[in-house]
Amino acid sequence: MTDAEINAAIDRQIERNVLFYAEHPDEIALRLRALDAEWDIERALQANAAALGLAGSLLALTRGGGWLAVPAVVGGFLLQHATQGWCPPLPVMRRMGFRTAREIDVERNALKALRGDYAEVPKSGDSAARARAALQAARSGPFAGPAA
C-alpha cells in the first residue's frame, strides 16, 4: 500500500496539471501524447525486475553463482506483487513519481474533457471551474462517449 502522503502529492500534481491545461487548451494535444508515452508503475516494475533478473543471471554466469540471489529476490518480489498487490520496490518507485495506470487515465480523461471530447464539462467559463468539472468527470467513471 502506498503512503497516503504520496498518493495525495500525486493527486495534487494531477490537479495542477489539469488546471494548467485548462488555462492553456492549445497545449492539451501535446500533453496527451506525453501521457500516452508515460510508463505506469506496473510497466516500470516489470522492466526493472526483468533488467535486474537478467543482470543477476549474467553476473552469475560470469562472476559466480552467488549472483543468483539477485534474480531469486526479484522473482520473490514479483510473486509477492502478483499475490498481494504490493512489493518493497513500489513505495520507492511511487516516491520517484511513477503513477498507476488509473492515475494516468484520470489526467488523460480530464484533459480530453477539457478539450471538449465529453459533454459533461462546460466548454467556456472559469478555467479552474472547468478543471474541477473535468477532474470530477474523469474520476467518476466511464464517459457516455464523445459529445454530440
Side-chain angles (χ1 to χ4, degrees), residues 6-136:
I6 295 169
N7 287 337
I10 289 171
D11 285 344
R12 284 191 305 273
Q13 184 60 53
I14 291 169
E15 290 172 11
R16 283 191 297 270
N17 292 349
V18 173
L19 179 57
F20 174 84
Y21 291 101
E23 295 171 353
H24 302 89
D26 53 316
E27 298 180 33
I28 289 176
L30 183 62
R31 179 62 179 159
L32 287 171
R33 284 194 294 278
L35 290 172
D36 289 341
E38 183 176 342
W39 281 26
D40 65 55
I41 195 160
E42 296 296 322
R43 184 177 184 189
L45 179 67
Q46 292 167 358
N48 184 41
L52 287 172
L54 181 60
S57 297
L58 290 173
L59 286 168
L61 287 172
T62 60
R63 303 285 186 217
W67 285 99
L68 285 174
V70 173
V73 168
V74 169
F77 283 168
L78 281 179
L79 181 61
Q80 180 182 17
H81 183 66
T83 57
Q84 297 176 351
W86 182 87
C87 63
L90 284 180
V92 174
M93 295 174 79
R94 291 288 281 171
R95 279 186 168 76
M96 292 171 59
F98 285 99
R99 301 189 295 175
T100 66
R102 171 76 177 132
E103 290 163 339
I104 295 167
D105 284 343
V106 164
E107 183 174 341
R108 178 183 293 113
N109 286 324
L111 294 176
K112 287 181 176 183
L114 283 173
R115 186 173 66 180
D117 292 10
Y118 308 114
E120 293 91 349
V121 178
K123 293 176 182 42
S124 62
D126 175 53
S127 60
R130 291 179 57 240
R132 282 191 300 276
L135 281 168
Q136 178 62 31

